[in-house]
Amino acid sequence: MDRQMVLSRSSAMGVRGLQGFVGSTCPHICTVVSFKELAEQHRNKHPGCTPTIVVDAMCCLRYWYTPESWICGGQWREYFSALRDFVKTFTDVGIKLVFFFDGMVEQDKRDEWVKRRLKNNREISRIFHYIKSHREQPGRNMFFIPSGLAIFTRFALKTLGQETLCSLQEADYEVASYGLQNNCLGILGEDTDYLIYDTCPYFSISELCLESLETVMLCREKLCESLDISLADLPLLACLLGNDIIPEGMFESFRYKCLSSYTSVKGNFDKKGNIILAVADHISKVLCLHQGEKKLEEMLPLGPNKALFYKGVASYLLPGQKSPWFFQKSKGLVSLDKEVGSIHSDPESKQEVPMCTDSETKHGVPVCTDPESKQGVPVCTDSETKQGVPVCTDPESRQGVPVCIDPESNQGVPMCTDPESKQGVPVCTDPESKHGVPVCIDPDSKEGFALCTHPESKQGVPVCTHPEPKQRDPICTHTEIKQKSPLGADPEFKLEAVICTNPEIKQEDLVNMEPEVKEQVTMVSDPEILKIARAHHVQAESYLVYSIMSSGEIECSNTLEDALDQALPSQAFVYRPVRQRVYSLLLGGDAGGASTCPTVKEWFVYSGNPLRRPDLVRPLQMNIPGGTPNLKLLWLNQDPGLQAHRLDALLGCFDLFSSREELQAVENPFKALCCLLIYLFVQVDTLCLEDLHAFIAQALCLQGKSTVQLVDLQLDYIDPRAVQLGSLLVRGLTTLVLVNSACGFPWRTSDFMPWNVFDGKLFHQKYLQSEKGYSVEALVEQNRSRLTKFHALKAVVCKACVKENRRIVSRQHWRSPQPGRWGRQGAGAHRMSSEYSRAGQGQHWRDQGPGNRQYEPDHWRRYSSSSGWSN
């Protein structure tokens, strides 16, 4: 195995320039290891403990997707088989795998997310240019993962019985925390941030040989030796080099100053390698000399970026860890790096408590030592209770944040200090989660209202809000949450955070523990509902639901769409009306319905969207008897009869309640597919009968195909329109995941997993055959049973479309010279109306062209009579 190639195939995640530096300058930090041997050593060292590897799944998607074809929408049966082989190889040698997926994009990393999405847009443009020029799939050097791969991989792994978790913050932080706290064998991924975290060993997925279970271990201790710095200096180095939080250009001039003064540069080192060596040399030779005497802002050109820089360094600190670079010299407070001056004994615990002497106040301040982390936590003594209260020191505000110790969990719960009143804000501890819930004081009413603080997400979220501004409902004493709901219990996910940071909060300094809510828009009024949504999110059982309910902000990455083909809409527009009805369901919760719901911020990638700001999308009222159903009824009521109401809600999201009976008669797994096809053909007026034949025929033929047959399937050529149609359908399946979970799971998730209803190459084959005029008998491969089912499914779709005034006709019909229906339109030629648009279904996709940044009611005027929008 060539160690020089380590990390060379990984994406540009983590610390800027570090992956190239490791591969070219410090290959000795890479060691070939055998997971079999490591697992055996772990069992000998920890008898009875199963060797566990925590997997950063997002880093592994490219490695897992081994099918040769990737352009047609995904080879899902092949992919599922590859995942099964991957899991089996580890379980056969007694290694447990725990998979983590990104659950949301943190605000600090939004700019980096946008930069990557725009880069992907350029790559997709090149892919379609290649297809049109060569009529074949590009080489693997242009590989682009199929749409929805991350979403469906979660469900595939859960189907395979694997522990699969979805993060409430940046996944790499939770991966590193889980590995550290659970004594894992190591982390499997491809992100140089794992060289910075002080956690369990880091293994490369790109260098993994599945047959031998050998890969490369990257040793952060050896990296530190090469750079002549300590492990505690790595977060500082990462931020000075630039990462996903700190823009690379922020310290560019500083790095070049370091380079110019670096005297031991060797000529065979590349420029980026020299910069890393120079910055590390500056840390060890200059900054360390003044450590404990000067603050970083006195030694580094932080300027207005001080808070962001400190936050970047703190983002690498796992629970129980601290940074020696957070120097604090303030009256009445203890510096984190002060020497221990005296010892105070606790008569009850019989344990000695170190005392730090403050040079200015001359008072001894007790320090509580964590027996596990071996780190001192400064303690402030309460004059009335005579008990020590731990203090979290703030390097910027120079104020101590008192911490209340939970007697059961032995964990510190922060007390938020009000800078104006100088009073501590009490924190209520949830007896189940052991998480502190800050109670903020209303300055007018002097009444407290609870903030639901999630240590994983770092967000202080006001949970109970009412129209009356002075009424607040605390969630701390809610005892009914303990009851078991039909949707599952809250998982034991006990990742604690050292520093509570909210990406929606403006922070003047790094360690200010007082949550200052920037805006509160999409909070639900029922904490029990929010708790269930969170549980399903963490357990990777839902998609987007918790993000909608907790932050009111969602995102969707790139899709293989041809920006030059204006005849087919972007999936972002096609499924937007569905999402809008989901917003009404999740955020309505009162008599006002959708008209009183806040807007949702959508970061969806589509042609012409510069992603400078999110689209502000308002909810849309459902068109079903009784209106938008009550969410608590759908989620908590265990009455078997409620399943019918859940199905009504699902069909209401697609505005297909009128086709309920026809869809109910369809057998699984085609019921969900028919629902999706009806919606697509009503919504997109450029889909024709040949498209419908291809979609239905591939789903029927897929049931009789083995994985080997699908692998051997060969295509005559690649059609760019078929490529986009395949991606459009797969994005529809991900939308079904969202709707089904939002409505309380009326359908089995397996019924719309792509490996059961869609295969990219098979659809492409049927599309090409249908375009050539193949008979229906030929499309279903002369199988009489399939032919019968084909006509039945086609009848359901066509009948439902006729109800909505949509007649599906052959493409041949539109090849005759008729204005305004079929054919490729020039760029920007979005028509502003469609004969098949329906009142109440939401804005037609042609009316949602790039540039409509905020979707206010006046944009929807022609639907105002029945859409439920406020004016």
Side-chain angles (χ1 to χ4, degrees):
M1 193 178 298
D2 187 359
R3 300 183 189 181
Q4 297 288 335
M5 296 300 294
V6 173
L7 297 174
S8 62
R9 295 188 295 272
S10 66
S11 58
M13 294 185 293
V15 183
R16 303 294 183 265
L18 186 56
Q19 69 177 37
F21 176 78
V22 167
S24 62
T25 307
C26 291
H28 63 280
I29 79 167
C30 305
T31 306
V32 178
V33 295
S34 168
F35 279 128
K36 294 178 184 177
E37 296 176 0
L38 292 177
E40 187 62 30
Q41 294 170 9
H42 188 276
R43 277 187 286 265
N44 293 335
K45 187 177 181 180
H46 307 282
C49 181
T50 303
T52 301
I53 295 176
V54 55
V55 183
D56 186 338
M58 301 301 291
C59 295
C60 301
L61 294 178
R62 289 174 175 267
Y63 173 85
W64 289 333
Y65 192 87
T66 56
E68 180 182 350
S69 174
W70 49 268
I71 198 74
C72 300
Q75 303 308 110
W76 296 98
R77 285 271 181 92
E78 296 177 55
Y79 181 63
F80 187 88
S81 178
L83 284 177
R84 182 173 53 227
D85 292 343
F86 179 87
V87 169
K88 186 176 185 299
T89 302
F90 282 90
T91 55
D92 283 350
V93 296
I95 297 177
K96 176 185 176 181
L97 300 175
V98 178
F99 298 88
F100 274 83
F101 288 82
D102 280 326
M104 55 186 63
V105 178
E106 293 187 11
Q107 292 304 312
D108 292 328
K109 300 193 177 184
R110 178 64 69 186
D111 289 345
E112 183 64 29
W113 184 90
V114 168
K115 185 189 301 182
R116 292 175 183 172
R117 303 292 80 76
L118 295 178
K119 179 177 180 290
N120 288 344
N121 276 345
R122 296 189 292 272
E123 294 176 357
I124 290 173
S125 295
R126 289 194 291 269
I127 288 172
F128 274 99
H129 178 76
Y130 184 95
I131 294 173
K132 293 172 185 178
S133 301
H134 298 84
R135 302 181 75 193
E136 66 181 15
Q137 174 179 281
R140 192 76 178 187
N141 61 313
M142 295 180 71
F143 171 74
F144 198 87
I145 64 173
S147 300
L149 190 68
I151 300 165
F152 291 120
T153 301
R154 305 178 197 172
F155 291 95
L157 291 170
K158 293 181 74 67
T159 301
L160 293 170
Q162 298 304 293
E163 184 175 350
T164 308
L165 301 171
C166 198
S167 70
L168 286 164
Q169 62 180 97
E170 192 67 20
D172 57 8
Y173 182 89
E174 295 193 9
V175 167
S177 297
Y178 188 96
L180 178 66
Q181 295 179 339
N182 293 275
N183 193 28
C184 289
L185 192 63
I187 293 169
L188 186 61
E190 205 70 37
D191 189 337
T192 49
D193 277 333
Y194 293 125
L195 273 173
I196 308 301
Y197 287 109
D198 188 4
T199 181
C200 58
Y202 164 41
F203 305 106
S204 168
I205 181 65
S206 70
E207 296 298 322
L208 174 65
C209 176
L210 198 58
E211 290 75 16
S212 63
L213 273 182
E214 289 185 345
T215 188
V216 164
M217 179 179 70
L218 294 95
C219 180
R220 58 184 68 89
E221 287 80 10
K222 290 183 179 179
L223 175 64
C224 289
E225 290 177 7
S226 300
L227 298 177
D228 194 26
I229 59 177
S230 67
L231 285 173
D233 298 330
L234 286 176
L236 177 62
L237 174 68
C239 291
L240 291 175
L241 294 176
N243 53 25
D244 291 347
I245 294 180
I246 307 298
E248 189 174 8
M250 183 179 294
F251 293 102
E252 186 172 9
S253 60
F254 167 79
R255 290 194 295 270
Y256 279 99
K257 287 181 180 178
C258 292
L259 184 61
S260 64
S261 61
Y262 183 57
T263 57
S264 58
V265 175
K266 297 181 181 180
N268 62 337
F269 286 173
D270 62 287
K271 182 178 179 181
K272 287 190 175 180
N274 285 340
I275 290 177
I276 292 177
L277 289 170
V279 173
D281 184 72
H282 185 81
I283 292 174
S284 62
K285 303 288 179 58
V286 179
L287 299 185
C288 286
L289 292 178
H290 302 285
Q291 187 175 356
E293 298 176 3
K294 296 182 180 179
K295 292 190 292 186
L296 275 176
E297 59 265 30
E298 298 174 6
M299 299 185 286
L300 294 174
L302 301 185
N305 304 307
K306 179 174 60 175
L308 180 62
F309 180 79
Y310 275 120
K311 188 171 186 179
V313 174
S315 68
Y316 290 107
L317 303 181
L318 302 180
Q321 295 178 353
K322 65 176 183 178
S323 172
W325 295 102
F326 291 160
F327 173 73
Q328 177 64 51
K329 188 175 182 181
S330 175
K331 182 177 180 179
L333 292 178
V334 183
S335 301
L336 295 181
D337 47 9
K338 286 281 188 178
E339 295 182 357
V340 174
S342 60
I343 299 295
H344 172 73
S345 298
D346 185 339
E348 295 184 7
S349 64
K350 305 301 180 183
Q351 295 178 350
E352 294 183 328
V353 181
M355 297 285 290
C356 291
T357 304
D358 189 297
S359 58
E360 296 186 24
T361 63
K362 309 300 181 182
H363 294 309
V365 182
V367 174
C368 177
T369 304
D370 185 341
E372 296 183 2
S373 66
K374 311 300 182 184
Q375 297 175 353
V377 179
V379 178
C380 174
T381 305
D382 188 332
S383 58
E384 295 183 6
T385 63
K386 308 301 181 182
Q387 296 178 350
V389 181
V391 175
C392 176
T393 56
D394 183 343
E396 300 299 317
S397 65
R398 302 190 178 187
Q399 295 181 355
V401 181
V403 178
C404 175
I405 296 298
D406 184 338
E408 295 183 10
S409 66
N410 294 324
Q411 297 175 351
V413 180
M415 296 277 289
C416 299
T417 304
D418 187 341
E420 297 183 2
S421 64
K422 312 298 182 184
Q423 295 179 352
V425 180
V427 175
C428 178
T429 303
D430 184 341
E432 292 185 12
S433 67
K434 302 295 187 294
H435 297 326
V437 182
V439 180
C440 293
I441 305 300
D442 188 331
D444 297 326
S445 65
K446 307 301 181 182
E447 296 178 355
F449 66 96
L451 289 179
C452 179
T453 304
H454 298 299
E456 294 87 349
S457 66
K458 310 290 194 299
Q459 295 181 352
V461 182
V463 176
C464 300
T465 59
H466 296 275
E468 298 80 1
K470 293 188 178 181
Q471 293 181 359
R472 303 288 188 266
D473 291 338
I475 66 170
C476 307
T477 58
H478 191 76
T479 57
E480 297 179 357
I481 293 179
K482 295 181 180 180
Q483 69 181 18
K484 184 178 181 181
S485 73
L487 297 184
D490 194 8
E492 294 184 4
F493 199 72
K494 299 180 179 179
L495 295 183
E496 295 291 341
V498 179
I499 298 173
C500 254
T501 57
N502 185 344
E504 290 289 336
I505 293 173
K506 293 181 178 178
Q507 294 182 322
E508 296 300 327
D509 50 68
L510 176 70
V511 199
N512 187 351
M513 305 280 294
E514 180 177 2
E516 177 188 345
V517 180
K518 182 179 179 181
E519 58 178 347
Q520 47 188 63
V521 284
T522 57
M523 297 302 99
V524 296
S525 60
D526 193 324
E528 189 171 11
I529 288 294
L530 188 64
K531 181 176 181 179
I532 294 173
R534 177 184 177 276
H536 280 288
H537 173 92
V538 170
Q539 295 299 323
E541 297 169 349
S542 65
Y543 170 56
L544 296 181
V545 171
Y546 184 68
S547 295
I548 294 168
M549 300 179 75
S550 62
S551 67
E553 189 167 8
I554 61 172
E555 56 276 324
C556 181
S557 188
N558 305 78
T559 304
L560 280 178
E561 298 174 340
D562 186 3
L564 300 180
D565 184 356
Q566 298 297 311
L568 281 178
S570 169
Q571 64 88 19
F573 297 142
V574 172
Y575 299 112
R576 175 171 283 166
V578 180
R579 298 194 300 273
Q580 289 176 281
R581 296 185 187 96
V582 171
Y583 302 157
S584 176
L585 174 65
L586 297 178
L587 305 177
D590 55 37
S595 62
T596 60
C597 289
T599 58
V600 173
K601 298 177 182 178
E602 288 190 350
W603 294 89
F604 274 60
V605 181
Y606 54 84
S607 176
N609 183 5
L611 294 172
R612 296 191 188 98
R613 63 187 67 88
D615 291 338
L616 304 181
V617 182
R618 301 188 64 181
L620 189 63
Q621 188 70 36
M622 287 188 189
N623 185 25
I624 60 176
T628 302
N630 181 275
L631 192 61
K632 196 165 186 176
L633 186 69
L634 296 180
W635 285 19
L636 297 178
N637 196 310
Q638 303 184 42
D639 187 347
L642 259 297
Q643 198 69 357
H645 291 283
R646 296 184 181 104
L647 177 58
D648 290 346
L650 183 146
L651 296 178
C653 289
F654 287 96
D655 206 13
L656 295 178
F657 181 79
S658 60
S659 301
R660 188 183 194 279
E661 292 185 7
E662 290 85 351
L663 285 170
Q664 279 291 80
V666 177
E667 63 180 280
N668 292 323
F670 306 112
K671 189 179 300 182
L673 179 65
C674 279
C675 172
L676 190 55
L677 290 177
I678 295 170
Y679 176 82
L680 276 176
F681 277 80
V682 171
Q683 184 74 7
V684 183
D685 55 10
T686 53
L687 294 177
C688 63
L689 195 61
E690 287 79 7
D691 300 328
L692 179 61
H693 286 177
F695 280 127
I696 296 177
Q698 71 85 28
L700 290 170
C701 292
L702 178 62
Q703 310 308 312
K705 301 286 186 184
S706 67
T707 301
V708 175
Q709 288 176 309
L710 294 172
V711 172
D712 294 337
L713 188 64
Q714 299 297 317
L715 299 174
D716 295 337
Y717 61 93
I718 298 296
D719 183 279
R721 184 173 181 274
V723 169
Q724 186 163 341
L725 285 181
S727 295
L728 182 62
L729 184 81
V730 173
R731 284 300 187 192
L733 295 176
T734 65
T735 303
L736 267 170
V737 176
L738 163 64
V739 175
N740 195 55
S741 54
C743 296
F745 304 95
W747 282 345
R748 295 182 308 179
T749 305
S750 60
D751 289 340
F752 43 87
M753 291 296 105
W755 47 87
N756 291 327
V757 294
F758 180 80
D759 180 87
K761 276 199 302 183
L762 188 58
F763 166 72
H764 216 93
Q765 181 192 62
K766 301 305 176 184
Y767 177 90
L768 297 178
Q769 293 174 350
S770 186
E771 283 289 289
K772 294 175 182 177
Y774 277 42
S775 67
V776 173
E777 290 79 6
L779 289 178
V780 297
E781 301 172 0
Q782 309 299 331
N783 185 292
R784 188 177 300 275
S785 174
R786 291 179 197 156
L787 182 62
T788 302
K789 293 179 180 178
F790 179 94
H791 286 300
L793 295 178
K794 176 182 175 181
V796 169
V797 175
C798 290
K799 181 180 178 180
C801 288
V802 168
K803 284 184 179 181
E804 307 299 339
N805 195 30
R806 167 69 156 106
R807 180 169 166 261
I808 306 174
V809 296
S810 170
R811 183 176 222 186
Q812 300 298 325
H813 177 74
W814 299 116
R815 281 177 176 163
S816 59
Q818 298 187 34
R821 272 296 300 173
W822 186 263
R824 308 294 165 88
Q825 303 177 25
H830 290 278
R831 291 183 295 161
M832 298 309 293
S833 64
S834 168
E835 59 181 293
Y836 296 132
S837 297
R838 294 180 295 157
Q841 76 167 10
Q843 190 176 23
H844 189 268
W845 66 267
R846 293 192 185 279
D847 300 346
Q848 303 183 55
N852 291 349
R853 307 308 307 160
Q854 182 163 351
Y855 299 90
E856 295 293 346
D858 59 328
H859 290 190
W860 301 67
R861 189 167 298 150
R862 60 194 178 94
Y863 302 136
S864 60
S865 61
S866 58
S867 67
W869 286 59
S870 60
N871 293 302

